[in-house]
Short mmCIF file of all heavy atoms in Angstrom, two decimals:
data_model
loop_
_atom_site.label_atom_id
_atom_site.label_comp_id
_atom_site.label_asym_id
_atom_site.label_seq_id
_atom_site.Cartn_x
_atom_site.Cartn_y
_atom_site.Cartn_z
N PRO A 362 -23.58 6.01 47.67
CA PRO A 362 -24.27 5.04 46.87
C PRO A 362 -25.41 4.34 47.64
O PRO A 362 -25.29 4.01 48.80
CB PRO A 362 -23.17 4.02 46.55
CG PRO A 362 -21.92 4.78 46.70
CD PRO A 362 -22.13 5.75 47.82
N GLY A 363 -26.54 4.26 46.92
CA GLY A 363 -27.68 3.52 47.51
C GLY A 363 -28.60 4.45 48.37
O GLY A 363 -29.75 4.08 48.60
N THR A 364 -28.13 5.64 48.77
CA THR A 364 -28.93 6.52 49.60
C THR A 364 -29.19 7.86 48.92
O THR A 364 -30.17 8.61 49.30
CB THR A 364 -28.34 6.78 50.97
OG1 THR A 364 -27.15 7.43 50.81
CG2 THR A 364 -28.13 5.42 51.68
N CYS A 365 -28.42 8.25 47.98
CA CYS A 365 -28.54 9.58 47.31
C CYS A 365 -28.53 9.46 45.79
O CYS A 365 -27.96 8.45 45.25
CB CYS A 365 -27.41 10.51 47.73
SG CYS A 365 -27.43 11.00 49.43
N PHE A 366 -29.18 10.34 45.16
CA PHE A 366 -29.06 10.42 43.63
C PHE A 366 -27.66 10.55 43.23
O PHE A 366 -26.85 11.18 43.87
CB PHE A 366 -29.94 11.59 43.14
CG PHE A 366 -31.40 11.38 43.30
CD1 PHE A 366 -32.28 12.39 43.03
CD2 PHE A 366 -31.95 10.18 43.69
CE1 PHE A 366 -33.62 12.29 43.21
CE2 PHE A 366 -33.31 10.05 43.86
CZ PHE A 366 -34.11 11.09 43.58
N SER A 367 -27.36 10.03 42.02
CA SER A 367 -26.04 10.27 41.46
C SER A 367 -25.91 11.67 40.93
O SER A 367 -26.84 12.42 40.82
CB SER A 367 -25.82 9.25 40.35
OG SER A 367 -26.72 9.51 39.31
N ARG A 368 -24.67 12.07 40.54
CA ARG A 368 -24.46 13.38 39.93
C ARG A 368 -25.29 13.54 38.65
O ARG A 368 -25.90 14.62 38.43
CB ARG A 368 -23.00 13.56 39.63
CG ARG A 368 -22.11 13.74 40.80
CD ARG A 368 -20.68 14.00 40.41
NE ARG A 368 -19.80 14.24 41.55
CZ ARG A 368 -18.52 14.58 41.47
NH1 ARG A 368 -17.99 14.73 40.26
NH2 ARG A 368 -17.79 14.71 42.54
N ASP A 369 -25.29 12.53 37.86
CA ASP A 369 -26.07 12.58 36.63
C ASP A 369 -27.58 12.80 36.90
O ASP A 369 -28.25 13.54 36.17
CB ASP A 369 -25.91 11.33 35.79
CG ASP A 369 -24.53 11.29 35.18
OD1 ASP A 369 -23.83 12.36 35.06
OD2 ASP A 369 -24.08 10.18 34.79
N GLN A 370 -28.10 12.15 37.94
CA GLN A 370 -29.52 12.34 38.26
C GLN A 370 -29.76 13.76 38.76
O GLN A 370 -30.82 14.35 38.40
CB GLN A 370 -29.96 11.26 39.32
CG GLN A 370 -30.03 9.86 38.80
CD GLN A 370 -30.21 8.81 39.87
OE1 GLN A 370 -29.62 8.95 40.92
NE2 GLN A 370 -31.12 7.88 39.61
N LEU A 371 -28.93 14.31 39.55
CA LEU A 371 -29.06 15.66 40.04
C LEU A 371 -29.01 16.62 38.88
O LEU A 371 -29.81 17.64 38.78
CB LEU A 371 -28.01 16.00 41.08
CG LEU A 371 -28.16 15.27 42.44
CD1 LEU A 371 -26.96 15.66 43.34
CD2 LEU A 371 -29.48 15.60 43.11
N ARG A 372 -28.08 16.42 37.94
CA ARG A 372 -27.98 17.32 36.76
C ARG A 372 -29.20 17.15 35.91
O ARG A 372 -29.62 18.16 35.31
CB ARG A 372 -26.72 16.84 35.96
CG ARG A 372 -25.40 17.32 36.60
CD ARG A 372 -24.24 16.70 35.87
NE ARG A 372 -22.96 17.01 36.53
CZ ARG A 372 -21.85 16.30 36.40
NH1 ARG A 372 -21.89 15.22 35.58
NH2 ARG A 372 -20.79 16.67 37.02
N ALA A 373 -29.82 16.05 35.90
CA ALA A 373 -31.05 15.81 35.11
C ALA A 373 -32.19 16.68 35.70
O ALA A 373 -32.97 17.20 34.90
CB ALA A 373 -31.39 14.35 35.04
N ILE A 374 -32.29 16.71 37.00
CA ILE A 374 -33.36 17.48 37.64
C ILE A 374 -33.12 19.01 37.27
O ILE A 374 -34.08 19.72 36.88
CB ILE A 374 -33.29 17.34 39.16
CG1 ILE A 374 -33.71 15.91 39.49
CG2 ILE A 374 -34.26 18.38 39.80
CD1 ILE A 374 -33.53 15.63 40.98
N ILE A 375 -31.92 19.49 37.42
CA ILE A 375 -31.63 20.89 37.11
C ILE A 375 -31.86 21.11 35.59
O ILE A 375 -32.41 22.19 35.22
CB ILE A 375 -30.13 21.25 37.45
CG1 ILE A 375 -29.94 21.12 38.98
CG2 ILE A 375 -29.79 22.66 37.01
CD1 ILE A 375 -28.54 21.23 39.46
N LEU A 376 -31.46 20.18 34.73
CA LEU A 376 -31.66 20.36 33.32
C LEU A 376 -33.14 20.40 32.94
O LEU A 376 -33.60 21.20 32.15
CB LEU A 376 -30.99 19.21 32.57
CG LEU A 376 -31.12 19.18 31.03
CD1 LEU A 376 -30.48 20.50 30.41
CD2 LEU A 376 -30.50 17.97 30.43
N ALA A 377 -33.97 19.56 33.57
CA ALA A 377 -35.39 19.54 33.29
C ALA A 377 -36.04 20.91 33.69
O ALA A 377 -36.82 21.48 32.94
CB ALA A 377 -36.05 18.42 34.07
N GLN A 378 -35.61 21.39 34.85
CA GLN A 378 -36.15 22.73 35.28
C GLN A 378 -35.72 23.82 34.31
O GLN A 378 -36.55 24.71 33.98
CB GLN A 378 -35.63 23.01 36.71
CG GLN A 378 -36.20 24.26 37.32
CD GLN A 378 -35.53 25.50 36.84
OE1 GLN A 378 -34.38 25.63 36.54
NE2 GLN A 378 -36.33 26.63 36.77
N ALA A 379 -34.52 23.75 33.82
CA ALA A 379 -34.00 24.79 32.88
C ALA A 379 -34.80 24.74 31.56
O ALA A 379 -35.14 25.70 31.00
CB ALA A 379 -32.50 24.59 32.69
N LEU A 380 -35.03 23.51 31.06
CA LEU A 380 -35.71 23.41 29.81
C LEU A 380 -37.11 23.90 29.89
O LEU A 380 -37.67 24.58 28.94
CB LEU A 380 -35.73 21.94 29.36
CG LEU A 380 -34.38 21.32 28.97
CD1 LEU A 380 -34.47 19.86 28.60
CD2 LEU A 380 -33.74 22.12 27.75
N ILE A 381 -37.84 23.64 31.00
CA ILE A 381 -39.16 24.13 31.22
C ILE A 381 -39.13 25.68 31.38
O ILE A 381 -40.00 26.36 30.75
CB ILE A 381 -39.76 23.50 32.54
CG1 ILE A 381 -40.02 22.06 32.35
CG2 ILE A 381 -41.09 24.21 32.92
CD1 ILE A 381 -40.41 21.28 33.59
N SER A 382 -38.10 26.16 32.00
CA SER A 382 -38.01 27.63 32.17
C SER A 382 -37.77 28.29 30.86
O SER A 382 -38.43 29.35 30.54
CB SER A 382 -36.84 27.96 33.17
OG SER A 382 -36.79 29.37 33.42
N VAL A 383 -36.85 27.75 30.05
CA VAL A 383 -36.58 28.40 28.72
C VAL A 383 -37.82 28.31 27.82
O VAL A 383 -38.20 29.33 27.20
CB VAL A 383 -35.38 27.65 28.02
CG1 VAL A 383 -35.29 28.09 26.63
CG2 VAL A 383 -34.09 27.94 28.77
N GLY A 384 -38.44 27.19 27.79
CA GLY A 384 -39.65 27.01 26.94
C GLY A 384 -40.72 27.97 27.32
O GLY A 384 -41.32 28.65 26.47
N SER A 385 -41.03 28.12 28.65
CA SER A 385 -42.10 29.02 29.05
C SER A 385 -41.72 30.45 28.75
O SER A 385 -42.57 31.31 28.51
CB SER A 385 -42.44 28.81 30.52
OG SER A 385 -41.20 28.89 31.36
N ASP A 386 -40.40 30.78 29.00
CA ASP A 386 -39.91 32.17 28.68
C ASP A 386 -40.24 32.59 27.27
O ASP A 386 -40.78 33.73 26.99
CB ASP A 386 -38.47 32.35 28.99
CG ASP A 386 -38.14 32.49 30.48
OD1 ASP A 386 -39.09 32.93 31.24
OD2 ASP A 386 -37.04 32.16 30.86
N PHE A 387 -39.95 31.75 26.37
CA PHE A 387 -40.10 32.17 24.94
C PHE A 387 -41.59 32.06 24.51
O PHE A 387 -42.05 32.80 23.71
CB PHE A 387 -39.27 31.27 24.09
CG PHE A 387 -37.84 31.58 24.03
CD1 PHE A 387 -36.89 30.84 24.86
CD2 PHE A 387 -37.37 32.67 23.26
CE1 PHE A 387 -35.56 31.27 24.83
CE2 PHE A 387 -36.04 33.03 23.26
CZ PHE A 387 -35.04 32.32 24.05
N ILE A 388 -42.37 31.15 25.10
CA ILE A 388 -43.76 31.10 24.83
C ILE A 388 -44.47 32.42 25.36
O ILE A 388 -45.24 33.00 24.59
CB ILE A 388 -44.46 29.88 25.52
CG1 ILE A 388 -43.94 28.62 24.80
CG2 ILE A 388 -45.98 29.98 25.48
CD1 ILE A 388 -44.42 27.31 25.51
N LEU A 389 -44.16 32.81 26.59
CA LEU A 389 -44.74 34.02 27.11
C LEU A 389 -44.29 35.24 26.40
O LEU A 389 -44.99 36.26 26.28
CB LEU A 389 -44.43 34.15 28.61
CG LEU A 389 -45.13 33.05 29.54
CD1 LEU A 389 -44.60 33.18 30.91
CD2 LEU A 389 -46.58 33.22 29.49
N ALA A 390 -43.08 35.22 25.84
CA ALA A 390 -42.59 36.36 25.11
C ALA A 390 -43.29 36.47 23.77
O ALA A 390 -43.44 37.65 23.20
CB ALA A 390 -41.05 36.28 24.88
N ALA A 391 -43.77 35.37 23.24
CA ALA A 391 -44.47 35.36 21.95
C ALA A 391 -45.98 35.73 22.10
O ALA A 391 -46.58 36.21 21.09
CB ALA A 391 -44.32 34.10 21.27
N TYR A 392 -46.56 35.55 23.30
CA TYR A 392 -47.94 35.81 23.50
C TYR A 392 -48.38 37.21 23.07
O TYR A 392 -49.45 37.36 22.45
CB TYR A 392 -48.36 35.53 24.95
CG TYR A 392 -49.05 34.21 25.11
CD1 TYR A 392 -48.38 33.07 25.47
CD2 TYR A 392 -50.46 34.18 24.96
CE1 TYR A 392 -49.06 31.88 25.66
CE2 TYR A 392 -51.08 32.94 25.16
CZ TYR A 392 -50.44 31.83 25.54
OH TYR A 392 -51.06 30.67 25.67
N PRO A 393 -47.67 38.23 23.50
CA PRO A 393 -48.12 39.61 23.16
C PRO A 393 -48.28 39.87 21.67
O PRO A 393 -49.12 40.70 21.27
CB PRO A 393 -46.95 40.51 23.72
CG PRO A 393 -46.41 39.69 24.85
CD PRO A 393 -46.45 38.29 24.35
N ILE A 394 -47.55 39.18 20.83
CA ILE A 394 -47.68 39.34 19.40
C ILE A 394 -49.07 38.95 18.93
O ILE A 394 -49.70 39.72 18.17
CB ILE A 394 -46.65 38.43 18.64
CG1 ILE A 394 -45.22 38.81 19.05
CG2 ILE A 394 -46.84 38.51 17.12
CD1 ILE A 394 -44.17 37.93 18.41
N PHE A 395 -49.61 37.93 19.50
CA PHE A 395 -50.92 37.47 19.08
C PHE A 395 -52.03 38.26 19.78
O PHE A 395 -53.16 38.43 19.26
CB PHE A 395 -51.08 35.98 19.37
CG PHE A 395 -50.11 35.10 18.69
CD1 PHE A 395 -48.97 34.66 19.39
CD2 PHE A 395 -50.23 34.83 17.37
CE1 PHE A 395 -48.00 33.84 18.77
CE2 PHE A 395 -49.29 34.06 16.71
CZ PHE A 395 -48.19 33.61 17.42
N ILE A 396 -51.78 38.73 21.03
CA ILE A 396 -52.79 39.52 21.82
C ILE A 396 -52.89 40.92 21.22
O ILE A 396 -54.00 41.43 20.98
CB ILE A 396 -52.37 39.53 23.26
CG1 ILE A 396 -52.43 38.11 23.81
CG2 ILE A 396 -53.33 40.43 24.03
CD1 ILE A 396 -51.97 37.97 25.27
N LEU A 397 -51.75 41.61 20.98
CA LEU A 397 -51.79 43.03 20.63
C LEU A 397 -52.30 43.28 19.28
O LEU A 397 -52.84 44.36 19.04
CB LEU A 397 -50.42 43.66 20.85
CG LEU A 397 -49.90 43.66 22.31
CD1 LEU A 397 -48.49 44.17 22.39
CD2 LEU A 397 -50.80 44.53 23.20
N ARG A 398 -52.09 42.33 18.37
CA ARG A 398 -52.46 42.52 17.04
C ARG A 398 -53.99 42.67 16.83
O ARG A 398 -54.50 43.27 15.82
CB ARG A 398 -51.93 41.47 16.09
CG ARG A 398 -52.56 40.09 16.35
CD ARG A 398 -51.85 39.04 15.53
NE ARG A 398 -52.45 37.68 15.70
CZ ARG A 398 -53.44 37.20 14.99
NH1 ARG A 398 -53.94 37.88 14.03
NH2 ARG A 398 -53.87 36.01 15.24
N LYS A 399 -54.78 42.26 17.85
CA LYS A 399 -56.23 42.33 17.82
C LYS A 399 -56.75 43.56 18.52
O LYS A 399 -57.93 43.82 18.53
CB LYS A 399 -56.84 41.05 18.40
CG LYS A 399 -56.55 39.82 17.59
CD LYS A 399 -57.29 38.60 18.12
CE LYS A 399 -56.98 37.37 17.25
NZ LYS A 399 -57.75 36.22 17.75
#
Side-chain angles (χ1 to χ4, degrees):
T364 63
C365 294
F366 290 169
S367 66
R368 289 185 179 182
D369 288 339
Q370 289 172 318
L371 292 177
R372 288 171 183 157
I374 295 174
I375 297 174
L376 179 61
Q378 186 279 329
L380 292 176
I381 293 170
S382 184
V383 171
S385 57
D386 280 336
F387 284 100
I388 290 173
L389 291 173
Y392 256 93
I394 298 175
F395 302 100
I396 295 173
L397 295 176
R398 67 187 179 90
K399 295 185 177 181

